[in-house]
Amino acid sequence: MRTSEPHSTDSSSTGHYTTDSMIKILLFVVFVSAATANPHFHGKAPRIELNDGNSMPTLGLGTSKGGVKGNEVQLAVEVAIDAGYRLIDTAQLYKSEDQVGRAVKNKILDGTVRREDLFILTKLWNDKHAKHLVVPALQESLKQLDLPYVDLFLIHWPVEDFPNNTFGETDYLDTWEGMEECKRLGLAKSIGVSNFNVEQLERLLAHAKVRPAANEIEVNPNLTQKKLTKYCKDRGIVIIAYAPLGSIPASKNNKDSPAPHLDDPLLTEIAEKYNKNTVQVVLRYLIDRGLVPIPKSTTPARIEQNIDLFDFCLTPQDIQLIDKFNKDYRTIDIPEWRSHKYYPF
Ligand SMILES: NC(=O)c1ccc[n+]([C@@H]2O[C@H](COP(=O)([O-])OP(=O)(O)OC[C@H]3O[C@@H](n4cnc5c(N)ncnc54)[C@H](OP(=O)(O)O)[C@@H]3O)[C@@H](O)[C@H]2O)c1
């Protein structure tokens, strides 16, 4: 190899390179390739473009803590990162940000992942809607997460509500100005909303300086959300699908919850065709519709199964069959907020 240093006089050189410099170059090449081309860093889920030039993984881990004990969220996030998840969904409400932060730190320290390969998402809670409270609320989240920025910050609900169960009347357009300030300050790379309906998005888009990058809403076979998902897709707003399993989880799978359940015959038939299970079929259904599901699990084997989806896809006919489960049934509805003027459902 002869590329430079034509005046080298070292007798132990190979061509014009010393053995030492050859080793240094080799180590440098190995280091650069490991740092830039290690596919492991990028995880298993391909990324989807956001309307602000950023991108996010097409599947993530949910971390709400209902029924979760001790440090189970931290362990789940660590298992998830090892399994190839790069998107982690948390929220001020879940009180899981500290555990997510510890897991992220551990996985960066042990060399599994770099910060820039992860996509950490958190959400503003309903009692921090006043414009001047938004930046401090995100700063508190960043303290909990022990991170200098999040990749996406969402308004959790359009409804302002306080711990003493009284409503506030802050307009979510004012809250949005606080969100825009978070992006301007570099505390959030992207900003968006959650649980916003078409009318609220329409109003937001008419006033916003920064368009929302995403809307996180419930979508699953019982609640296909065709109108809202089309509206968002047409405007470049990514839909993040929460409660993606609908009635499938044992806790929601009671005699009152509508099909499909875990052993549903149609889902089983589709699953057998691809050598997958029914949960994987439901998650793939969402991905094939261009949505980003964020299934929650603290069970290592399920965490691994739930991302083992990128070696098959459903046919349009499979998707149409699963669409037929729709009955606009919500697993998340908050009846006590129904009288709030911005309640979205
Ligand atoms: N923006 C919002 O307003 C909002 C609202 C609700 C939820 N979210 C987010 O969305 C995430 C997901 O929603 P979710 O937690 O309500 O519902 P989900 O992800 O649809 O279901 C979670 C339940 O499914 C079980 N499960 C997971 N994988 C499974 C598998 N392969 N087989 C059988 N059971 C499985 C889990 O049990 P184990 O843990 O025992 O495995 C858990 O009980 C939340 O964690 C949260 O991050 C956002």
Side-chain angles (χ1 to χ4, degrees), residues 189-201:
K189 300 252 183 217
S190 298
I191 51 174
V193 295
S194 174
N195 295 301
F196 272 49
N197 64 30
V198 167
E199 292 69 32
Q200 290 164 337
L201 286 169

mmCIF file with all atom_site columns, all heavy atoms in Angstrom, residues 189-201:
data_model
loop_
_atom_site.group_PDB
_atom_site.id
_atom_site.type_symbol
_atom_site.label_atom_id
_atom_site.label_alt_id
_atom_site.label_comp_id
_atom_site.label_asym_id
_atom_site.label_entity_id
_atom_site.label_seq_id
_atom_site.pdbx_PDB_ins_code
_atom_site.Cartn_x
_atom_site.Cartn_y
_atom_site.Cartn_z
_atom_site.occupancy
_atom_site.B_iso_or_equiv
_atom_site.pdbx_formal_charge
_atom_site.auth_seq_id
_atom_site.auth_comp_id
_atom_site.auth_asym_id
_atom_site.auth_atom_id
_atom_site.pdbx_PDB_model_num
ATOM 1   N N   . LYS A 1 189 ? -35.615 16.864 20.417 1.00 0.00 ? 189 LYS A N   1
ATOM 2   C CA  . LYS A 1 189 ? -35.264 16.944 18.983 1.00 0.00 ? 189 LYS A CA  1
ATOM 3   C C   . LYS A 1 189 ? -36.522 17.101 18.137 1.00 0.00 ? 189 LYS A C   1
ATOM 4   O O   . LYS A 1 189 ? -36.513 17.748 17.103 1.00 0.00 ? 189 LYS A O   1
ATOM 5   C CB  . LYS A 1 189 ? -34.544 15.671 18.538 1.00 0.00 ? 189 LYS A CB  1
ATOM 6   C CG  . LYS A 1 189 ? -33.264 15.421 19.293 1.00 0.00 ? 189 LYS A CG  1
ATOM 7   C CD  . LYS A 1 189 ? -32.063 15.664 18.409 1.00 0.00 ? 189 LYS A CD  1
ATOM 8   C CE  . LYS A 1 189 ? -30.810 15.334 19.166 1.00 0.00 ? 189 LYS A CE  1
ATOM 9   N NZ  . LYS A 1 189 ? -29.692 16.175 18.904 1.00 0.00 ? 189 LYS A NZ  1
ATOM 10  N N   . SER A 1 190 ? -37.610 16.423 18.574 1.00 0.00 ? 190 SER A N   1
ATOM 11  C CA  . SER A 1 190 ? -38.885 16.531 17.857 1.00 0.00 ? 190 SER A CA  1
ATOM 12  C C   . SER A 1 190 ? -39.989 16.722 18.895 1.00 0.00 ? 190 SER A C   1
ATOM 13  O O   . SER A 1 190 ? -39.827 16.335 20.056 1.00 0.00 ? 190 SER A O   1
ATOM 14  C CB  . SER A 1 190 ? -39.169 15.264 17.049 1.00 0.00 ? 190 SER A CB  1
ATOM 15  O OG  . SER A 1 190 ? -38.176 15.056 16.071 1.00 0.00 ? 190 SER A OG  1
ATOM 16  N N   . ILE A 1 191 ? -41.110 17.302 18.445 1.00 0.00 ? 191 ILE A N   1
ATOM 17  C CA  . ILE A 1 191 ? -42.251 17.493 19.355 1.00 0.00 ? 191 ILE A CA  1
ATOM 18  C C   . ILE A 1 191 ? -43.523 17.005 18.685 1.00 0.00 ? 191 ILE A C   1
ATOM 19  O O   . ILE A 1 191 ? -43.640 16.996 17.455 1.00 0.00 ? 191 ILE A O   1
ATOM 20  C CB  . ILE A 1 191 ? -42.387 18.976 19.798 1.00 0.00 ? 191 ILE A CB  1
ATOM 21  C CG1 . ILE A 1 191 ? -42.389 19.931 18.584 1.00 0.00 ? 191 ILE A CG1 1
ATOM 22  C CG2 . ILE A 1 191 ? -41.288 19.349 20.785 1.00 0.00 ? 191 ILE A CG2 1
ATOM 23  C CD1 . ILE A 1 191 ? -42.656 21.397 18.947 1.00 0.00 ? 191 ILE A CD1 1
ATOM 24  N N   . GLY A 1 192 ? -44.474 16.596 19.504 1.00 0.00 ? 192 GLY A N   1
ATOM 25  C CA  . GLY A 1 192 ? -45.726 16.082 18.963 1.00 0.00 ? 192 GLY A CA  1
ATOM 26  C C   . GLY A 1 192 ? -46.798 16.048 20.032 1.00 0.00 ? 192 GLY A C   1
ATOM 27  O O   . GLY A 1 192 ? -46.657 16.676 21.096 1.00 0.00 ? 192 GLY A O   1
ATOM 28  N N   . VAL A 1 193 ? -47.848 15.295 19.748 1.00 0.00 ? 193 VAL A N   1
ATOM 29  C CA  . VAL A 1 193 ? -49.018 15.261 20.637 1.00 0.00 ? 193 VAL A CA  1
ATOM 30  C C   . VAL A 1 193 ? -49.448 13.818 20.845 1.00 0.00 ? 193 VAL A C   1
ATOM 31  O O   . VAL A 1 193 ? -48.935 12.898 20.196 1.00 0.00 ? 193 VAL A O   1
ATOM 32  C CB  . VAL A 1 193 ? -50.193 16.085 20.038 1.00 0.00 ? 193 VAL A CB  1
ATOM 33  C CG1 . VAL A 1 193 ? -49.831 17.563 19.962 1.00 0.00 ? 193 VAL A CG1 1
ATOM 34  C CG2 . VAL A 1 193 ? -50.597 15.559 18.653 1.00 0.00 ? 193 VAL A CG2 1
ATOM 35  N N   . SER A 1 194 ? -50.406 13.651 21.750 1.00 0.00 ? 194 SER A N   1
ATOM 36  C CA  . SER A 1 194 ? -50.964 12.323 21.996 1.00 0.00 ? 194 SER A CA  1
ATOM 37  C C   . SER A 1 194 ? -52.440 12.519 22.315 1.00 0.00 ? 194 SER A C   1
ATOM 38  O O   . SER A 1 194 ? -52.818 13.502 22.971 1.00 0.00 ? 194 SER A O   1
ATOM 39  C CB  . SER A 1 194 ? -50.226 11.678 23.175 1.00 0.00 ? 194 SER A CB  1
ATOM 40  O OG  . SER A 1 194 ? -50.817 10.458 23.528 1.00 0.00 ? 194 SER A OG  1
ATOM 41  N N   . ASN A 1 195 ? -53.259 11.602 21.856 1.00 0.00 ? 195 ASN A N   1
ATOM 42  C CA  . ASN A 1 195 ? -54.708 11.638 22.109 1.00 0.00 ? 195 ASN A CA  1
ATOM 43  C C   . ASN A 1 195 ? -55.375 12.893 21.531 1.00 0.00 ? 195 ASN A C   1
ATOM 44  O O   . ASN A 1 195 ? -56.330 13.413 22.113 1.00 0.00 ? 195 ASN A O   1
ATOM 45  C CB  . ASN A 1 195 ? -54.992 11.544 23.618 1.00 0.00 ? 195 ASN A CB  1
ATOM 46  C CG  . ASN A 1 195 ? -54.555 10.210 24.185 1.00 0.00 ? 195 ASN A CG  1
ATOM 47  O OD1 . ASN A 1 195 ? -55.012 9.155  23.758 1.00 0.00 ? 195 ASN A OD1 1
ATOM 48  N ND2 . ASN A 1 195 ? -53.647 10.233 25.159 1.00 0.00 ? 195 ASN A ND2 1
ATOM 49  N N   . PHE A 1 196 ? -54.856 13.390 20.423 1.00 0.00 ? 196 PHE A N   1
ATOM 50  C CA  . PHE A 1 196 ? -55.500 14.522 19.744 1.00 0.00 ? 196 PHE A CA  1
ATOM 51  C C   . PHE A 1 196 ? -56.398 13.963 18.641 1.00 0.00 ? 196 PHE A C   1
ATOM 52  O O   . PHE A 1 196 ? -56.013 13.035 17.922 1.00 0.00 ? 196 PHE A O   1
ATOM 53  C CB  . PHE A 1 196 ? -54.453 15.458 19.118 1.00 0.00 ? 196 PHE A CB  1
ATOM 54  C CG  . PHE A 1 196 ? -53.953 16.540 20.070 1.00 0.00 ? 196 PHE A CG  1
ATOM 55  C CD1 . PHE A 1 196 ? -53.540 16.226 21.358 1.00 0.00 ? 196 PHE A CD1 1
ATOM 56  C CD2 . PHE A 1 196 ? -53.893 17.868 19.656 1.00 0.00 ? 196 PHE A CD2 1
ATOM 57  C CE1 . PHE A 1 196 ? -53.081 17.214 22.229 1.00 0.00 ? 196 PHE A CE1 1
ATOM 58  C CE2 . PHE A 1 196 ? -53.430 18.873 20.513 1.00 0.00 ? 196 PHE A CE2 1
ATOM 59  C CZ  . PHE A 1 196 ? -53.028 18.552 21.802 1.00 0.00 ? 196 PHE A CZ  1
ATOM 60  N N   . ASN A 1 197 ? -57.594 14.558 18.488 1.00 0.00 ? 197 ASN A N   1
ATOM 61  C CA  . ASN A 1 197 ? -58.489 14.130 17.407 1.00 0.00 ? 197 ASN A CA  1
ATOM 62  C C   . ASN A 1 197 ? -58.279 15.019 16.170 1.00 0.00 ? 197 ASN A C   1
ATOM 63  O O   . ASN A 1 197 ? -57.460 15.959 16.196 1.00 0.00 ? 197 ASN A O   1
ATOM 64  C CB  . ASN A 1 197 ? -59.952 14.107 17.888 1.00 0.00 ? 197 ASN A CB  1
ATOM 65  C CG  . ASN A 1 197 ? -60.460 15.491 18.277 1.00 0.00 ? 197 ASN A CG  1
ATOM 66  O OD1 . ASN A 1 197 ? -60.014 16.497 17.732 1.00 0.00 ? 197 ASN A OD1 1
ATOM 67  N ND2 . ASN A 1 197 ? -61.408 15.531 19.212 1.00 0.00 ? 197 ASN A ND2 1
ATOM 68  N N   . VAL A 1 198 ? -59.014 14.728 15.108 1.00 0.00 ? 198 VAL A N   1
ATOM 69  C CA  . VAL A 1 198 ? -58.804 15.448 13.838 1.00 0.00 ? 198 VAL A CA  1
ATOM 70  C C   . VAL A 1 198 ? -59.027 16.948 14.010 1.00 0.00 ? 198 VAL A C   1
ATOM 71  O O   . VAL A 1 198 ? -58.224 17.773 13.549 1.00 0.00 ? 198 VAL A O   1
ATOM 72  C CB  . VAL A 1 198 ? -59.736 14.883 12.732 1.00 0.00 ? 198 VAL A CB  1
ATOM 73  C CG1 . VAL A 1 198 ? -59.765 15.813 11.522 1.00 0.00 ? 198 VAL A CG1 1
ATOM 74  C CG2 . VAL A 1 198 ? -59.294 13.488 12.307 1.00 0.00 ? 198 VAL A CG2 1
ATOM 75  N N   . GLU A 1 199 ? -60.104 17.334 14.705 1.00 0.00 ? 199 GLU A N   1
ATOM 76  C CA  . GLU A 1 199 ? -60.419 18.756 14.840 1.00 0.00 ? 199 GLU A CA  1
ATOM 77  C C   . GLU A 1 199 ? -59.299 19.477 15.607 1.00 0.00 ? 199 GLU A C   1
ATOM 78  O O   . GLU A 1 199 ? -58.924 20.606 15.267 1.00 0.00 ? 199 GLU A O   1
ATOM 79  C CB  . GLU A 1 199 ? -61.759 18.945 15.583 1.00 0.00 ? 199 GLU A CB  1
ATOM 80  C CG  . GLU A 1 199 ? -62.996 18.483 14.813 1.00 0.00 ? 199 GLU A CG  1
ATOM 81  C CD  . GLU A 1 199 ? -63.085 16.952 14.642 1.00 0.00 ? 199 GLU A CD  1
ATOM 82  O OE1 . GLU A 1 199 ? -62.617 16.208 15.539 1.00 0.00 ? 199 GLU A OE1 1
ATOM 83  O OE2 . GLU A 1 199 ? -63.617 16.500 13.603 1.00 0.00 ? 199 GLU A OE2 1
ATOM 84  N N   . GLN A 1 200 ? -58.794 18.815 16.636 1.00 0.00 ? 200 GLN A N   1
ATOM 85  C CA  . GLN A 1 200 ? -57.726 19.446 17.435 1.00 0.00 ? 200 GLN A CA  1
ATOM 86  C C   . GLN A 1 200 ? -56.438 19.566 16.627 1.00 0.00 ? 200 GLN A C   1
ATOM 87  O O   . GLN A 1 200 ? -55.738 20.577 16.716 1.00 0.00 ? 200 GLN A O   1
ATOM 88  C CB  . GLN A 1 200 ? -57.505 18.628 18.712 1.00 0.00 ? 200 GLN A CB  1
ATOM 89  C CG  . GLN A 1 200 ? -58.686 18.771 19.666 1.00 0.00 ? 200 GLN A CG  1
ATOM 90  C CD  . GLN A 1 200 ? -58.724 17.721 20.756 1.00 0.00 ? 200 GLN A CD  1
ATOM 91  O OE1 . GLN A 1 200 ? -58.156 16.641 20.628 1.00 0.00 ? 200 GLN A OE1 1
ATOM 92  N NE2 . GLN A 1 200 ? -59.420 18.041 21.843 1.00 0.00 ? 200 GLN A NE2 1
ATOM 93  N N   . LEU A 1 201 ? -56.151 18.554 15.811 1.00 0.00 ? 201 LEU A N   1
ATOM 94  C CA  . LEU A 1 201 ? -54.951 18.632 14.959 1.00 0.00 ? 201 LEU A CA  1
ATOM 95  C C   . LEU A 1 201 ? -55.112 19.732 13.920 1.00 0.00 ? 201 LEU A C   1
ATOM 96  O O   . LEU A 1 201 ? -54.169 20.482 13.632 1.00 0.00 ? 201 LEU A O   1
ATOM 97  C CB  . LEU A 1 201 ? -54.709 17.290 14.268 1.00 0.00 ? 201 LEU A CB  1
ATOM 98  C CG  . LEU A 1 201 ? -54.165 16.178 15.163 1.00 0.00 ? 201 LEU A CG  1
ATOM 99  C CD1 . LEU A 1 201 ? -54.219 14.841 14.444 1.00 0.00 ? 201 LEU A CD1 1
ATOM 100 C CD2 . LEU A 1 201 ? -52.732 16.479 15.602 1.00 0.00 ? 201 LEU A CD2 1
#
